Amino acid sequence: MLKGIHNGARLFVVDPRRTSSAQCAEKWLGLHVGTDIALANAMAREIIAAGLENRSFIENATSGFEDFRRHVQKYTLDYAAKICGVPAAAVRELAHAYARADRAQICWTLGITEHHNAVDNVLALINLGVLTGHVGTYGSGLNPLRGQNNVQGGGDMGALPDRLPGFQHVENDELRGKFEKTWDAKIPPKKGWHLSGMFDAMERGELKALYVMGENPANSEADQHRTTKLLDGLDILVVQDMLMSKTAEMADVVFPAAAGWCESEGTVTNSERRVQRVRRALPPPSGVRDDIEILCHLARRMGRDLGNPSAEELWNELRSLSPMHAGMSYTRLEQMHGIQWPCYDENHPGEQYLHGRLWARPVIGPRAPLCCVEYEPPLDVLDDEFPIRLTTGRRLDSYNTGVQTSRYASPLRHGETIDISAQDAEKYGIQEGETVRVVSRRGSVLAPVRFDPGLRPGLAFMTLHFPDQVATNELTIDAVDPKSGTSEFKASAVRIEKVRKTEPVAV
Amino acid sequence: MDLHFTDAEVTADEKAAVDGVSIPANANGTRRSYLLPILHALQNHIGWISPGALNYASRALDVPPAEAFGVADFYGLFSTRPQPPAVAHICDDIACKAKGAEKLCSELEKSHGPEGSSKDGETWRRSPCLGLCEHAPAALVHSAGKQHFEQSLASAKTESIRTALQGTAVPQPALAASVPQLGQPGLKLLRRIAQINPESLDDYRATGGFVALRRAFAIGPGAVVREVVESKLVGRGGAAFPCGQKWTSILTAARPRYLVCNADESEPGTFKDRVLMEGDPYAVIESMIIAAFATGCEQGYLYIRGEYPLARRRLEHAIRECRIRSFLGDNILGHGVRFDIELRVGAGAYICGEETAMLNSIEGHRGEPRNKPPFPTQVGLFGQPTIIQNVETLLNVPYIIMEGGKAFAAVGTERSTGTKLFCLSGHVAKPGVYEVPFGTTLRQLLNLAGGVGGSGKLQAVLIGGAAGAFLGSKDLDTPLTFEGTRAAGATLGSAVVMPFDDTVDLRQILLRIASFFRDESCGQCVPCRVGTVRQEEILHRLAAGKPLGSRPNELVLLKEVGQAMRDASICGLGQTASSAIESALARLPVFEDKR
Amino acid sequence: MSTQNAPDMKTPVPRGPLPILPPPRPRRMVEISIDGKAVSVPEGSTLLQAARSIGIDTPTLCFLENLTPVNVCRICVVEVEGSRMLVPACSRQAEPGMVVKTDSERVRLSRRLVLELLASSVDVSTAPQFQEYMKRYGAQPERFGDAARPAGNRDAAQPGHHHAPENGNAATVAQPVKIDNDLYVRDYGKCILCYKCVEACGVDAQNTFAIAVAGRGFTARISTEYDAPLTDSACVYCGNCIGVCPTGALMFKSEYVMRRAGTWDESKQTRADTICPYCGVGCTLTLQVQDEKIVKVTSPLDQQITNGHLCIKGRFGWEWVNKK
């Protein structure tokens, strides 16, 4: 992005925190946590009011414009300014800049998706792209920036409740049939649960056995009390991981697995849908096996011999089943430094952007809908008792629950803190470095205070990197977006209490 | 930018010093160019540039503090460490060395301790040429504080230095003493020097000032450029590039365009531009306006070396007066011409006289030369097309406008037209600035200056400064033109003419020149950064009579270093860092007598 | 939200047309001559690119494909007919009709001198490419005599006058190694001041600006503001400076420790390219492995996502693999 800025691109940053990116931007819109839909809808309204929508694109390739136009009427600039806490003029400027640009992209990360209305948040942004035609052309688009090296690849490979590899719907009999034939096995014809759905199912007693691969829900899930209780209540918990995570410690069976990125062969898919090769650089420690080997062994014990396939053999099987991966031989992946899907055959270059079909006349396939989504405030409301909005995220040198990153000596790492503005500190009579109690409606933790000039009064920030030091997820709310199953990590209501001198403050 | 700062805090005084530098509200793209003025403000008012102050300045200008430090640490007149508020800079360069600088230094060492040590809030340091060579030895005294005091001291003595260190001004020789030809007919560039009150705009106008500007407005920019082309005027800064060609080339270039007046006269032995700026500051302004008008520049910068406090004050005053009287501004004299000048003050870096290093210095970067091409007329200040001319060059322009290019070209020789200023110092009877037509021989010029001084017996003449060449007594009939000196294997350079009598140990002069280039190399490119070091070391070994291997061996090594510097350095500094030394070795029996 | 518009999720979206990418800018060809051979290169090509296109291996120290040329080392200089000085091939663009010599006596002399000047002032013991150039050009840095005593604290050097050379011995940039964090060391006694680290820390990659060139002349050096320890500086430990350093002045602490212990052995090392396990950018990591331990991580320059640049996690976040 900075390269783009150096080349003359304009950057607007919408973020409650004045981040490093915001510092480099032309404008920073420091909105209140969880008010993205109000902002996006107001931008949409302004774009339409100013006649800046892309009429011909809308007529050719979209549906629901009239409903949408009516729907966003109430999202005036002033309304958005009041809800979001940013000046109306700034919203207007952003709307105009976005709509008038030759090419424009909206990029987002978990600040959009870790909310109880995650899908609606995303739809609100998609509306902007569809409204202005900033989709399906070179240099434009809607870009969820992935926070993990293979979160895209997981989805590509069917690690979704309703999809088979290549995003083929499990409830489509023809598609499912193709897999059943190749695999010589029956696949349950109904979609399954997503992550939060599974925990609900555990609560209802419907889910009694869990096989966790490379995930640390005991630390990473919101509302840690509930998570731990539910995992404890399982009949059997199997964990397959590279390292002994908190979840692995709770497991009945642990399969020590090789590190996928340096002890195994295979592929991952990055944010730009580029399938890339990972390679084995060193052997795993003794007693540790490759994921494929573990799964095949397990299958054998369960009565099905899958042989001893190599990563490439499995990949080639995938290519035969997933049309969008069909052209990606290992040879081509190496030669081309990875290929962006879809890549339908071995002469196909891969596609740098998606949705070009929307520009065909007439449009190919279904029209892109403009979706009417409403602003809903975060569920964990602020009140006199819990007046501070806590949002969570990452710091540069650390990663998720710190299972990997806590083991190198980062000079940037200073342990967990609760970051607040100096103004709030003064208000509550707190010094920098002082340990305070952070209390939410679900739990409380002790954490030292750090001042962050990027935070406005009323906003606090913590991470999940140091669960053993500060279990931030004791505080977070497990309000879940029903459509995606993501928890509202980004918006909890907390208060900060001074710790009485007599209390033990060791953390 | 997302900047990170250390915890160092700014003091109230430092804050006031930084805030005292006014930055125009519309300076968005050029904000960083206020770094140099802010560093000066801190040095002048606080006495050094502290980490807290640098943080504050960096924040104000949106400059990374590591880069701002790299800039502050580049200049000899800035200190990034605490130092006593009162500092005497003692010139020990070639002209002053020949006139007792070492004696002065040893006296200061006795009274104040070794160079750089602190005594009662005072210290002293050795300095490269201060451009007061006609009154050698020279010194420059700074006393930092709210009432910042600075003064150049001509014919410096320990007493006058002590007085100045206390913040008391010391009477200085009149400007007339620098112009031995004073009152003689035929002077052009020097005609107003010491004849008018240099602070008076009315005096300037009463002596023909701004007539050329009105005439330029009357004939239009195209005609001005034509006259300059016809005059065959070439740059006087050392590179001798034809002005007309430079001006013509920018006429089709993009806008905005900038005009930069190079007043960073730092070549050892050179002081002519100082005399012009001290004695005729309005002429500098008028010349810049005409040049800007002709070439379509709306903003000018005048970059003057920090060692010239009096010239700087005179120019500041002249610029102020010109703004008030509508000679500078948005609508000059009602002609709809827009032009203004910002003054930038150097801070002790010879390299900033190199035109592209100067551009970087103005922009608030380190004074490191840029690789050419592209040339400044294509990509110059702030990346825009830029005309850069030296003070003396520009001052010819009004005469060209008044008498016409053809008449101008009739003086001098075919390829070196007009008159030329020469800086005579060292062992000469009447040191000072002389104006003679091009083509005058070295002998004639020396005679004009009363002949060889000192013992009266000439050993050698340094022509063109440290980057120039030595001539011997048999070269005295060399015509002082660009082509004549070139034919003699020398260069006119910045028109330094510095004779040395037979009592001078030329080895010491050569060692000083080598030392000078090592000190003043910006350090950017390898041949110059290390080559100047190795060159000095070889000379030391030769001077001590302890060559590595043999003397011829060392001379081969010296020659190879010289060739690599000349062939592969980025800029003129490295390219000429060996020329004076090589010319001395070729012409004079410097290291012949083995001790 | 209203769902009446939602497409049927169970039916695959049909294939669309191939993306339309902007056509490459048409570039005229420029004809030049290099070492007597006619060469045709696209307009805007540098002489270095032109020479490489016909297989002429031009030495470079301060040049790197993923950085803006600064042309300060001057080892790539070539002779161009009509030019008084030699010109840096890394940044000089080919112009029609240029006649270039890349291996003339003049060129060889300057290149040899650049190597000798550097090798007589800098410790180049961990710069294999540099040593290869020394052989190629017959550089003999010992011609400049014995090394002078280290000059004291180079970080405290003031621009301007220096002390006279002691016995005419060869001044060097020798100085103590800076170790102020657990990830990498800065041994500026090995620094040839190629500016690459400054560029990588600045707009060419990281945009952090923790380091810049300070001082002047022979005392010019890479420094944070006031030589502040990295831990007080803007450094974000991306290690991109290490990635571009040509002499080992900037070195992983793991490598530094192994070299001190005498256990660093490149003949026993293997390299494998893989993808960083952290965020979704997908940077290629080249893992350097010795005795089944990762000892160093770099990234190939031709990797189009970040052109060889990484962040702290990709560069250093692998220790857990060794510690398992």
mmCIF file of all heavy atoms in Angstrom, chain B residues 533-547:
data_model
loop_
_atom_site.group_PDB
_atom_site.id
_atom_site.type_symbol
_atom_site.label_atom_id
_atom_site.label_comp_id
_atom_site.label_asym_id
_atom_site.label_seq_id
_atom_site.Cartn_x
_atom_site.Cartn_y
_atom_site.Cartn_z
ATOM 1 N N VAL B 533 41.348 9.788 1.680
ATOM 2 C CA VAL B 533 42.081 9.353 2.874
ATOM 3 C C VAL B 533 43.429 8.764 2.471
ATOM 4 O O VAL B 533 44.480 9.110 3.019
ATOM 5 C CB VAL B 533 41.248 8.310 3.659
ATOM 6 C CG1 VAL B 533 42.059 7.747 4.821
ATOM 7 C CG2 VAL B 533 39.951 8.927 4.154
ATOM 8 N N ARG B 534 43.371 7.880 1.471
ATOM 9 C CA ARG B 534 44.606 7.221 1.047
ATOM 10 C C ARG B 534 45.579 8.239 0.442
ATOM 11 O O ARG B 534 46.787 8.141 0.623
ATOM 12 C CB ARG B 534 44.286 6.121 0.035
ATOM 13 C CG ARG B 534 43.459 4.977 0.611
ATOM 14 C CD ARG B 534 44.237 4.156 1.631
ATOM 15 N NE ARG B 534 43.391 3.161 2.274
ATOM 16 C CZ ARG B 534 42.873 3.276 3.495
ATOM 17 N NH1 ARG B 534 43.152 4.337 4.245
ATOM 18 N NH2 ARG B 534 42.102 2.338 3.996
ATOM 19 N N GLN B 535 45.044 9.201 -0.298
ATOM 20 C CA GLN B 535 45.886 10.233 -0.896
ATOM 21 C C GLN B 535 46.642 10.985 0.190
ATOM 22 O O GLN B 535 47.853 11.220 0.098
ATOM 23 C CB GLN B 535 45.014 11.205 -1.698
ATOM 24 C CG GLN B 535 45.744 12.451 -2.168
ATOM 25 C CD GLN B 535 44.885 13.304 -3.093
ATOM 26 O OE1 GLN B 535 44.907 13.119 -4.306
ATOM 27 N NE2 GLN B 535 44.123 14.219 -2.531
ATOM 28 N N GLU B 536 45.926 11.335 1.257
ATOM 29 C CA GLU B 536 46.564 12.078 2.342
ATOM 30 C C GLU B 536 47.648 11.223 3.012
ATOM 31 O O GLU B 536 48.742 11.701 3.328
ATOM 32 C CB GLU B 536 45.524 12.520 3.371
ATOM 33 C CG GLU B 536 46.115 13.447 4.417
ATOM 34 C CD GLU B 536 45.218 13.650 5.636
ATOM 35 O OE1 GLU B 536 44.332 12.810 5.863
ATOM 36 O OE2 GLU B 536 45.434 14.629 6.359
ATOM 37 N N GLU B 537 47.322 9.942 3.207
ATOM 38 C CA GLU B 537 48.296 9.063 3.866
ATOM 39 C C GLU B 537 49.574 8.914 3.043
ATOM 40 O O GLU B 537 50.689 8.948 3.584
ATOM 41 C CB GLU B 537 47.661 7.682 4.118
ATOM 42 C CG GLU B 537 46.602 7.705 5.219
ATOM 43 C CD GLU B 537 45.634 6.527 5.157
ATOM 44 O OE1 GLU B 537 45.757 5.700 4.219
ATOM 45 O OE2 GLU B 537 44.756 6.446 6.024
ATOM 46 N N ILE B 538 49.383 8.779 1.739
ATOM 47 C CA ILE B 538 50.574 8.653 0.879
ATOM 48 C C ILE B 538 51.437 9.913 0.989
ATOM 49 O O ILE B 538 52.655 9.848 1.143
ATOM 50 C CB ILE B 538 50.161 8.400 -0.589
ATOM 51 C CG1 ILE B 538 49.426 7.067 -0.707
ATOM 52 C CG2 ILE B 538 51.389 8.405 -1.502
ATOM 53 C CD1 ILE B 538 48.743 6.854 -2.057
ATOM 54 N N LEU B 539 50.777 11.078 0.944
ATOM 55 C CA LEU B 539 51.524 12.334 1.041
ATOM 56 C C LEU B 539 52.246 12.435 2.380
ATOM 57 O O LEU B 539 53.375 12.920 2.461
ATOM 58 C CB LEU B 539 50.591 13.530 0.845
ATOM 59 C CG LEU B 539 50.108 13.768 -0.582
ATOM 60 C CD1 LEU B 539 49.131 14.932 -0.621
ATOM 61 C CD2 LEU B 539 51.285 14.038 -1.510
ATOM 62 N N HIS B 540 51.599 11.970 3.451
ATOM 63 C CA HIS B 540 52.254 11.991 4.758
ATOM 64 C C HIS B 540 53.500 11.123 4.758
ATOM 65 O O HIS B 540 54.534 11.506 5.307
ATOM 66 C CB HIS B 540 51.275 11.522 5.847
ATOM 67 C CG HIS B 540 50.587 12.670 6.506
ATOM 68 N ND1 HIS B 540 51.109 13.342 7.587
ATOM 69 C CD2 HIS B 540 49.420 13.275 6.218
ATOM 70 C CE1 HIS B 540 50.290 14.316 7.934
ATOM 71 N NE2 HIS B 540 49.246 14.298 7.126
ATOM 72 N N ARG B 541 53.372 9.965 4.140
ATOM 73 C CA ARG B 541 54.532 9.080 4.096
ATOM 74 C C ARG B 541 55.651 9.720 3.284
ATOM 75 O O ARG B 541 56.819 9.678 3.657
ATOM 76 C CB ARG B 541 54.133 7.720 3.510
ATOM 77 C CG ARG B 541 53.127 6.951 4.370
ATOM 78 C CD ARG B 541 53.051 5.479 3.980
ATOM 79 N NE ARG B 541 52.524 5.235 2.655
ATOM 80 C CZ ARG B 541 51.252 4.916 2.389
ATOM 81 N NH1 ARG B 541 50.365 4.821 3.378
ATOM 82 N NH2 ARG B 541 50.861 4.687 1.159
ATOM 83 N N LEU B 542 55.276 10.339 2.157
ATOM 84 C CA LEU B 542 56.285 10.994 1.329
ATOM 85 C C LEU B 542 56.918 12.164 2.072
ATOM 86 O O LEU B 542 58.137 12.348 2.054
ATOM 87 C CB LEU B 542 55.644 11.473 0.018
ATOM 88 C CG LEU B 542 55.312 10.385 -1.000
ATOM 89 C CD1 LEU B 542 54.470 10.953 -2.132
ATOM 90 C CD2 LEU B 542 56.594 9.747 -1.559
ATOM 91 N N ALA B 543 56.065 12.948 2.737
ATOM 92 C CA ALA B 543 56.566 14.128 3.449
ATOM 93 C C ALA B 543 57.507 13.713 4.574
ATOM 94 O O ALA B 543 58.475 14.411 4.894
ATOM 95 C CB ALA B 543 55.408 14.955 3.991
ATOM 96 N N ALA B 544 57.198 12.575 5.195
ATOM 97 C CA ALA B 544 58.037 12.106 6.291
ATOM 98 C C ALA B 544 59.255 11.354 5.778
ATOM 99 O O ALA B 544 60.090 10.898 6.566
ATOM 100 C CB ALA B 544 57.216 11.204 7.210
ATOM 101 N N GLY B 545 59.348 11.227 4.444
ATOM 102 C CA GLY B 545 60.469 10.488 3.893
ATOM 103 C C GLY B 545 60.414 9.002 4.218
ATOM 104 O O GLY B 545 61.442 8.338 4.303
ATOM 105 N N LYS B 546 59.219 8.499 4.502
ATOM 106 C CA LYS B 546 59.093 7.063 4.821
ATOM 107 C C LYS B 546 58.125 6.390 3.862
ATOM 108 O O LYS B 546 57.030 5.969 4.266
ATOM 109 C CB LYS B 546 58.565 6.896 6.247
ATOM 110 C CG LYS B 546 59.552 7.322 7.325
ATOM 111 C CD LYS B 546 58.914 7.108 8.694
ATOM 112 C CE LYS B 546 59.748 7.752 9.782
ATOM 113 N NZ LYS B 546 58.976 7.969 11.011
ATOM 114 N N PRO B 547 58.518 6.327 2.589
ATOM 115 C CA PRO B 547 57.576 5.716 1.642
ATOM 116 C C PRO B 547 57.440 4.214 1.885
ATOM 117 O O PRO B 547 58.346 3.593 2.427
ATOM 118 C CB PRO B 547 58.241 5.984 0.287
ATOM 119 C CG PRO B 547 59.688 6.125 0.598
ATOM 120 C CD PRO B 547 59.783 6.705 1.981
#
